[in-house]
Amino acid sequence: WRFDIDLWNEFTSLPKSCRATAWLLELKEGKVKNHVRSLGEKILMKDDGLQKIIERLDKIYKEDSSHSAYKAYCKFEKYERPDGLSLRGYISEFGKLYDDL
């Protein structure tokens, strides 16, 4: 979601004070929309409203680096060559998993 909002923010022609509200209105009903809505109208209508949304959602959903590293380690440790995968394919996938460590 972070990549999408950054791209949208870069290319939209909406005034900065309208961007957070516009983004809120595009969200489907659910937890994310409720978190954004909880910021309130005063924050969402400011020029930095979109940045406030990003900060709020990062606090809630962004994984810390140690958790991400642990997940990458577990994936690397558990990887086995599937039946039918060529040695070249296995080495390629192994290398990708290793690079993620």
Side-chain angles (χ1 to χ4, degrees):
W1 67 268
R2 180 66 187 266
F3 179 72
D4 293 347
I5 197 170
D6 287 341
L7 283 178
W8 179 82
N9 189 39
E10 192 67 34
F11 291 103
T12 188
S13 59
L14 289 172
K16 288 185 177 189
S17 62
C18 297
R19 292 178 185 187
T21 305
W23 200 74
L24 167 68
L25 294 173
E26 288 298 315
L27 291 172
K28 294 180 182 178
E29 285 297 328
K31 290 180 181 181
V32 173
K33 189 166 189 165
N34 290 336
H35 290 305
V36 173
R37 193 181 282 134
S38 73
L39 289 169
E41 183 179 346
K42 288 183 181 180
I43 291 175
L44 294 174
M45 297 295 286
K46 289 185 177 182
D47 283 355
D48 67 343
L50 197 60
Q51 184 59 38
K52 298 294 184 187
I53 290 174
I54 291 169
E55 290 169 6
R56 169 66 60 94
L57 296 178
D58 275 350
K59 284 182 185 177
I60 298 167
Y61 295 107
K62 189 175 181 181
E63 290 182 344
D64 67 2
S65 60
S66 62
H67 183 69
S68 297
Y70 178 72
K71 283 175 47 177
Y73 171 76
C74 288
K75 193 173 181 180
F76 176 79
E77 272 296 310
K78 292 179 182 178
Y79 184 67
E80 294 181 358
R81 182 177 168 198
D83 291 337
L85 182 65
S86 70
L87 187 56
R88 183 173 300 205
Y90 172 74
I91 291 170
S92 175
E93 185 62 26
F94 184 88
K96 289 177 193 174
L97 293 172
Y98 181 79
D99 288 342
D100 288 343
L101 294 177

